[in-house]
Amino acid sequence: MEVSGPSVIIISAKRGAHRPIMNLHERSLSVLACRYVDEVIIGAPWEVSKDMITTFNISLVVRGTVAENDDFQKDDGNPYAIPISVGIFKVLESPLDITTATIIRRIVSNHEAYQKRNEKKNASEKRYYEGKTFVSGD
């Protein structure tokens, strides 16, 4: 299965600032780690076109059930309109309810604890180096 993804500019415009939360390399590697994925198409358009389906010999376009919004179902600008019309679109039940918003909330909620832990480590390291004595070679 080939996987494609729209550019950062399109994602930021549609989903808001600070999206996507991983860079292109991280996103590509994460998707390629899925055993069902054969290839990632970098720089793919937001909408799956007939030309794209033909060029890459795409036999199935899949979307999970968990999403931050279901705007894609609107008639105007549905990125899956062509795969739906040619019968190669499928919705798969998402096993978890994790979204980008969920991940961002986790990062923000753990940020303060992370900062406190690092401040404690830095203070401990500073005390170590300030009290460190060297053995004389005499």
Side-chain angles (χ1 to χ4, degrees):
M1 170 179 26
E2 294 180 18
V3 177
S4 66
S7 73
V8 172
I9 295 167
I10 293 171
I11 293 172
S12 294
K14 293 197 176 278
R15 301 268 169 88
H18 310 297
R19 306 284 176 90
I21 59 175
M22 293 191 296
N23 67 40
L24 177 63
H25 184 73
E26 293 167 330
R27 291 192 319 274
S28 298
L29 290 175
S30 293
V31 173
L32 282 170
C34 176
R35 66 179 167 176
Y36 303 108
V37 175
D38 298 319
E39 187 176 350
V40 172
I41 302 168
I42 295 173
W46 179 255
E47 295 180 6
V48 182
S49 66
K50 181 70 176 161
D51 182 56
M52 191 171 156
I53 292 169
T54 305
T55 301
F56 293 104
N57 196 26
I58 297 171
S59 59
L60 186 62
V61 176
V62 179
R63 183 181 196 280
T65 54
V66 173
E68 293 173 4
N69 61 48
D70 283 332
D71 288 347
F72 81 93
Q73 294 180 19
K74 295 178 181 174
D75 289 336
D76 57 324
N78 179 347
Y80 306 112
I82 293 173
I84 289 169
S85 71
V86 296
I88 62 168
F89 179 76
K90 184 174 182 179
V91 176
L92 293 179
E93 186 68 33
S94 298
L96 302 171
D97 62 351
I98 297 174
T99 64
T100 307
T102 308
I103 294 169
I104 291 170
R105 280 194 299 275
R106 286 182 185 177
I107 291 168
V108 170
S109 67
N110 291 319
H111 180 72
E112 188 175 320
Y114 173 79
Q115 277 187 310
K116 286 180 181 179
R117 184 186 75 217
N118 280 355
E119 286 170 6
K120 185 177 176 183
K121 283 183 178 183
N122 287 342
S124 175
E125 185 176 321
K126 185 177 179 182
R127 283 191 308 276
Y128 169 78
Y129 283 110
E130 286 173 350
K132 186 175 180 180
T133 58
F134 294 94
V135 176
S136 173
D138 298 336

